[in-house]
Every structure is written in structure tokens, then in C-alpha cells.
Amino acid sequence: MRLSRYFLPVLKETPSEAQIVSHRLMLRSGMIRQASAGIYSWLPLGFKVLKKIEAIVHEEQQRAGHIPMLMPTLQSADLWRESGRYEDYGDEMLRITDRHGHDMLYGPTNEELITDIFRNTVQSYKDLPLTLYHIQWKFRDERRPRFGVMRGREFYMKDGYNFDIDRDSAIHAYNRHMVSYLRTYERMGLKAIPMRADSGPIGGDDTHEFLVLADTGESEVFYDSAILDLQLGQRAVDFDDREQCAAIRQEWTSPYARTDETHDAALFEAEVPAERRRSSRAIEVGQIFYFGTKYSDKMGASVVTPEGTRVPVHMGSHGIGVSRLVGAIIEASHDERGIIWPEAVAPFKVGIVNLKQGDGAADAACETLYAQLQAAGLEPLYDDRSERAGAKFATMDLIGLPWRITVGPRGLKNGVVELTSRKSGATQELRPEDAVARLRDIYAGV
Ligand code: ATP
Ligand code: MG
């Protein structure tokens, strides 16, 4: 993409309505604009990041054997009356009446709708296990929408639902989700810690939230610092292997880690040596639940067993805050000059800065680099505007592309360009073709 033809409305001033750094940087870098309270338009740069995060979520869900689909945003109130949640959900639910007087709602989550689909289509144990998921907009009429996309009213969420024959199988589904979520967040360059949590209006016994440590987070958490050393890394995971998934769950849930809702100060002190006890603020980026037959009992979702009896299915639901993650990643990765995107979610993989637009040699070298990077799938953003170098650097730093290639007449006389890491600031002089090769290597490992 050439910056001269892109739509990147960066702001020079810091917007006064933004209280936290991710909100400020998303507004300043032209990623989002507020449409109304807690509701945002995703401008091209923000949309690109959102789609990259979404793509990682899809890949990791399908790696774990979960099946993608798409349910609507608007749902019939009748299903929610069956589960009893139409009244329970309260003011957070946006209720709508259509022209025929039917009560509708903008879905805050989808347990009822998916259970309805299941009960109308699945009758036999032979169709289990089954995990369906979608990534769809949700609406919750939050009392205090704030912090930009972190606590929106309309937000983008991956929600998945498992259907299993018995408790053991459903617990495996729970463990499988935990492992797949750990992989998902690691791929995005995030450390998200599973913490024992409270189940809230979804209901159920087993539940963990995934939290990213950040001073601006809305949750208060208590944990054993040993958990920060755990990494899934490149280990091979067989998502059908119950023992392996259970062992990984065990590994991550043995060190003490709880949100304030379930925190037990006496236990914390008894279990964790003083020098490893930590408390912090954190951002919730996902949550998994096992709730057994709560919905299947009420809504009649059952299967026939091999013995010929009917049993209600055991279910769980599992959510990832896709749009919130955009903000959470920025909270975890920025400096005073702007965003620092982890390579896996960067909107463009590399920026090209032409120090002297209009200089024949510089323009030609940039064009060649641009073509080569594009051919290599390295998604360059070429700043081809007639701005001064300082302004171009400031824009690149603000929007946080992980790598920058700087091209100027002086370097070109020696046959080199500069390759700079946004994160470390380290710069190397390389021949242009070697810079492309370096980037190809770097991104091959992402
Ligand atoms: P919170 O406690 O932050 O209100 P929740 O526990 O009600 O969230 P879940 O039902 O667990 O939310 O939804 C799954 C994920 O969706 C959450 O972990 C979070 O990342 C994201 N999410 C929830 N509410 C919002 C919101 N208002 N804006 C943006 N993302 C949200
Ligand atoms: Mg939650």
C-alpha cells in the first residue's frame, strides 16, 4: 500500500476523551472513530489488525477441531424466555420490537440460539463430540462504556459451544479450549494467564478467565509469579489426547492465579512463598466455562445413548474478546512514541520511508523494494508522501509497524538502506535485496 493513496487519518493532538494509552493510540493512529458511546467504526488500519487477530483465532480454533459457523446478531426473545435469561439479563440487553410486535434482542452471547440449533438437528450420541463456534458482533448495553474498544457496547467476540455425552467428555472439551486459548494468545505475542474466576450470569462450576497484566486493566488479580515462566512454545499438541490436554491444564492451573472474585488471601499466603506473591491489574481477554446441563435441561437438548436412553448433553461455552484484544495488545506493547505491534498481528509487516521523495535514485530504489516486498507477501506500507523525514518517522513510530526500511540518497551511494526494528530501535545497513531476505526470514518464523 502507498501511503499517499491510503486512508490514515492520524491525529497530532492527544484526544482528551481517551483515558488510557491504547484508546489514545488507536484514535491518534487513525484505527477507530467513535460512532456513538461504546460503538466504533473500524477505519482501515484498525480493521486490518482486527482481521489479523480474527484470522489467528480461526486458525487455532480449527486446529483444535472446532467448527466455524455464523449466527445472526438479532435473536428472538422467545428462546431467552425458555432459558429464563430474558428477565435475568437485565439492562445490559438491548431489546428491540419488530414491525409485527415480536420481541427481539441484539445478542449479548449465544447459548440459547446454539442450543436451539442443536436440539433441532442432533439426536444421537454418534454426532458427539461437537464444538461449534462463530466470531460475531455482540451488544451489551454497558453502564459505563469506556477505554475505547476495551469496554464497548458493540464488540467483536469469538464464542464457541461444546456438546458432549457426559461430564468427562465435556471436561476434555474445557481443557482443550484452555490449551487452544493459550496457543492463540501466545501467537499474538501476549502473555495471558488463566485464572480461576466467577461464573456470573452464564452460570456453572468450572470457569477460568484469561488475563493480560496491565496497569490500566479493570480486573484485580493475585498470582504466583512462577506462572509467568510457563510457555507452550512449539510443543506438539494432540487436541484429542485427553491426558495431554489435562496435563497442560494442570501445569497452568497449579500455580496460584485468581481474580479478586475468587481470591482467598489465606490460601494465597499458605501456598505461595512471599517473594513470588504478586497482585496487579489485568485485562480479561477470554473466558471458558463448563456448565453441564444448565441449558440442555431447560431447553430439551438431549441425545440417545448407545443403550437407547435419552440424556441431556453436557455443555460449555468459551469466549475470546477479539476487538478488546486490539486494545489489550497495545496496552502490553507500546512506548512514548506509539504502538509496537507484535509481528503476528501487525497491520503492515514493514514500512518504507523514502527520505527524499522526488530524488530519482531514492524513488527508484523504493519502487523496487516495494515491488519485491509485495511479491514476497511482506505487506509493505510505502510512505511516498512529500513530507519531511521527521514527520514520516513519527507516523511510522505511531502506527507501530515492527520493521522500517529507510531509503535515502546518501545510503544508496554506498548501495545500502537501513533496516530498523521498532521494538529495539536497532538499525542495520544492508543492501536492499538483503533487507528483503532478512524480513522474509523473520516472518517465516511468525
Ligand atoms: P467483563 O467482565 O469484562 O464485563 P464478561 O466476563 O462479561 O466481561 P464474557 O461473557 O466472558 O465477558 O465474554 C468473553 C470475552 O469478551 C471477555 O473475556 C472479554 O474479553 C470480551 N468482552 C466482554 N465484554 C466486553 C465489552 N463490553 N467490550 C469489549 N469486549 C468485551
Ligand atoms: Mg468473562
Side-chain angles (χ1 to χ4, degrees), residues 198-217:
D198 190 49
S199 64
I202 307 256
D205 334 314
D206 255 301
T207 180
H208 283 85
E209 287 178 356
F210 292 78
L211 290 122
V212 173
L213 303 177
D215 295 340
T216 50

Side-chain angles (χ1 to χ4, degrees), residues 32-41 154:
I32 52 167
R33 282 291 180 275
Q34 183 173 299
S36 53
I39 303 177
Y40 289 87
S41 299
E154 189 184 49

Side-chain angles (χ1 to χ4, degrees), residues 89 92 108-109 140 142 148-158 185 198 201-202 209-210 218-219 261 283-289 318-325:
Y89 220 93
E92 272 195 18
T109 175
R140 295 182 189 172
E142 304 272 355
V149 300
M150 299 280 248
R151 182 159 299 282
R153 294 198 295 165
E154 189 184 49
F155 60 97
Y156 205 39
M157 192 213 275
K158 172 260 161 181
Y185 299 122
D198 190 49
I202 307 256
E209 287 178 356
F210 292 78
E218 291 184 283
S219 308
E261 292 154 344
I283 303 163
E284 181 193 330
V285 292
Q287 186 163 13
I288 55 177
F289 300 88
H318 316 277
I320 293 181
V322 175
S323 50
R324 180 180 286 182
L325 272 166

Side-chain angles (χ1 to χ4, degrees), residues 305-348:
T305 65
E307 294 76 36
T309 53
R310 247 186 199 281
V311 295
V313 286
H314 286 249
M315 293 174 58
S317 70
H318 316 277
I320 293 181
V322 175
S323 50
R324 180 180 286 182
L325 272 166
V326 180
I329 292 170
I330 296 173
E331 290 294 326
S333 186
H334 66 269
D335 63 15
E336 64 293 343
R337 288 176 290 141
I339 303 167
I340 306 175
W341 290 116
E343 274 137 2
V345 301
F348 296 94

